[in-house]
Amino acid sequence: MDQPWPIRLTHWLNVVFLTLLVGSGLRIFNAHPTLYLGETSDPAEAVWSGGGFPTFLTVGGWLAGARRWHLALIWWFVVNGLCYVAFLVASGEAKRRFFRPQDRHGVLPMVRYYLRLGPKPAYEGYNALQKLTYTLLVLLGAPLLVLTGLALSPAFDAHFPWYVALFGGRQSARTWHFALMAGFVLFSVLHVGLVAAAGWPTLRAMLVGTQRSEGGRDA
């Protein structure tokens, strides 16, 4: 499947931005590796507590440095995402990538296929499960990741306490933010695994824009 250059460019920029955002976010998290629900860090409200993440997985060197990386990179991530969605809509690519009501009938057959419980359904382009996952990630997961992160800003909290309350309090927003980050990491691992399983032609399409057929010609 051909991949236009704006999609390839924003895709690989996203890889860089997300890698650095996750690394700096883990460094910030390591300063207090415990998650809570509610407004305050009450040990009775803790939902998860650990020893933190290895230093080699983090970015920023120290807490203040990690915060600077995180705050600077998030705006590049947002701008890159907006450019990506704008291109999809303007070019018509959104129609073949985003989930639509008529795709709902193809979700369960694809789930059964991936679980080796049924035959591979016939489809063109992206299958229904891919579209559903993609749509949830781009139109729901990414915005929520940014919005929960915004709720963690002390200045934003001071000026708009009602906004932070939408997520159940600052500590709840932090927990949601961490969970969404973990979801992005899990998706990325699965995504890379599926691309590798699909073979070199699929990866080649994301590198140079086209897949090459078995005969050696561009498909």
Side-chain angles (χ1 to χ4, degrees), residues 21 54 76 124 149 160 162 165:
L21 279 168
W76 287 103
E124 294 183 2
F160 307 103
W162 59 267

Side-chain angles (χ1 to χ4, degrees), residues 11-218:
H11 178 277
W12 291 113
L13 284 175
N14 205 42
V15 171
V16 175
F17 296 149
L18 274 177
T19 299
L20 295 175
L21 279 168
V22 170
S24 56
L26 293 181
R27 179 63 189 86
I28 296 170
F29 177 81
N30 278 357
H32 187 73
T34 305
L35 297 173
Y36 307 89
L37 292 177
E39 183 60 40
T40 61
S41 52
D42 183 354
E45 300 291 339
V47 294
W48 186 84
S49 181
F53 293 89
T55 304
F56 71 88
L57 293 177
T58 67
V59 173
W62 54 307
L63 180 58
R67 283 177 173 169
R68 290 171 183 170
W69 274 90
H70 211 66
L71 292 174
L73 287 163
I74 190 59
W75 298 114
W76 287 103
F77 174 72
V78 170
V79 170
N80 187 61
L82 290 175
C83 290
Y84 174 72
V85 173
F87 175 79
L88 291 182
V89 174
S91 65
E93 285 285 324
K95 293 181 179 179
R96 71 167 182 165
R97 294 171 185 267
F98 287 152
F99 189 82
R100 294 182 292 175
Q102 57 265 39
D103 294 319
R104 66 186 185 279
H105 302 294
V107 174
L108 288 179
M110 283 307 305
V111 171
R112 288 195 292 267
Y113 168 70
Y114 283 130
L115 294 176
R116 301 294 188 267
L117 299 176
K120 183 177 182 179
Y123 62 87
E124 294 183 2
Y126 296 95
N127 66 61
L129 190 58
Q130 286 175 314
K131 291 181 179 180
L132 178 60
T133 305
Y134 199 71
T135 302
L136 290 175
L137 186 79
V138 174
L139 300 184
L140 183 62
L144 280 176
L145 189 66
V146 175
L147 293 174
T148 53
L150 192 60
L152 300 180
S153 167
F156 203 85
D157 187 5
H159 287 87
F160 307 103
W162 59 267
Y163 175 82
V164 180
L166 292 176
F167 300 100
R170 193 163 184 269
Q171 291 300 326
S172 290
R174 182 172 179 262
T175 298
W176 280 112
H177 191 67
F178 184 88
L180 287 164
M181 179 275 296
F184 264 77
V185 172
L186 177 61
F187 171 83
S188 299
V189 171
L190 293 175
H191 180 58
V192 171
L194 289 174
V195 169
W200 167 246
T202 301
L203 179 59
R204 183 180 188 276
M206 284 307 302
L207 292 173
V208 299
T210 57
Q211 291 186 355
R212 189 174 294 277
S213 63
E214 293 181 1
R217 299 175 60 186
D218 288 338

